[in-house]
Amino acid sequence: MSDQTPPDDSKLTKTKSRWAELGKFLTGMVSRPEDSRLPPGQHLVKNWPILDLGQTPRVPKEVWRLDIAGLLEKPQSWDWKAYMAQPQTKKISDIHCVTSWSRYDNHWDGVTTHDLLEAVQPHDSVKHVLLTSNDGYTTNLTLEDFASPEAIVAHSWEGEPIPVDHGGPVRLIVPHLYFWKSAKWLRRIEFVERDHPGFWEVRGYHNRGDPWTEERYS
Ligand SMILES: Nc1nc2c(c(=O)[nH]1)N[C@H]1C(S)=C(S)[C@@H](COP(=O)(O)O)O[C@H]1N2
Ligand SMILES: [Mo]
């Protein structure tokens, strides 16, 4: 029994507490038995199908921008140079599309959402993340899902720039959810208190999209 409690109001403590909370939430989600790598109802493909709204925005790196806005300590608007100046990480993950194909072992390069969150420092009130793309597509994630240790704002696939048909120059990859949550041609990330269902979510897709529990449709 001590009267002494360490100061808990510093920025560092707040950040660390937040990460501890998020990590605890995520641990069970990313570990699963080895024999269940393919989620229920999925089949494996070797190719990489292209799925989108049919508009392919072509945004050269020279004019590309990523706005990171909302309830943040440090909102930012990255041009290509600023984005590439962030810590660069490699991730390997599986893709699970709600249309029932899965593709194993995709190699990504980019900025992890962890590092992005470090850079912008969301306020404690942030609960949801809204993504907007250059084709007008939108999708929504909880902060916990966005902050998955496997999630990455990616510019390269298999060591090469992501092809424009697959969302280049920059797309989000959130591998633990169905692929419609992985916004191609990423333009804006907004951190908010309240959820705001995106393009597919208002059209009958599940609000979260966990492939392991088949959260396909609402
Ligand atoms: N900007 C944007 N992102 C998007 C989409 C889209 O239409 N526009 N479609 C989503 C859907 S439904 C899927 S399955 C994947 C497909 O990505 P791929 O074409 O690289 O396989 O992108 C997701 N991200
Ligand atoms: Mo999809």
Side-chain angles (χ1 to χ4, degrees), residues 48-55 57 95 97-99 101 133-138 165-167 171 179-186 199-200 205:
W48 185 8
I50 295 166
L51 282 112
D52 53 53
L53 304 177
Q55 313 277 341
I95 295 171
C97 177
V98 71
T99 59
W101 57 270
S133 299
N134 278 307
D135 61 343
Y137 185 79
T138 55
D165 284 337
H166 286 297
R171 76 175 296 168
F179 210 33
W180 86 78
K181 295 290 186 180
S182 294
K184 295 156 76 161
W185 310 298
L186 193 56
F199 183 87
W200 287 119
Y205 279 38

Side-chain angles (χ1 to χ4, degrees), residues 20 39 43 88 201:
H43 69 276
Q88 298 289 316
E201 291 81 9

Side-chain angles (χ1 to χ4, degrees), residues 33 61 64 71 79-80 94 103 106 138 143 151 158 177 180 194 201 215:
K61 288 173 191 170
W64 176 88
L71 304 165
D79 61 9
W80 191 258
D94 300 344
R103 192 183 189 286
N106 298 275
T138 55
L143 178 61
E158 306 301 321
L177 298 178
W180 86 78
R194 294 204 184 182
E201 291 81 9
E215 291 177 343

Side-chain angles (χ1 to χ4, degrees), residues 48 61 80 109 154-164 166 168-170:
W48 185 8
K61 288 173 191 170
W80 191 258
D109 290 85
H155 57 74
S156 292
W157 174 75
E158 306 301 321
E160 299 289 337
I162 296 175
V164 67
H166 286 297
V170 171

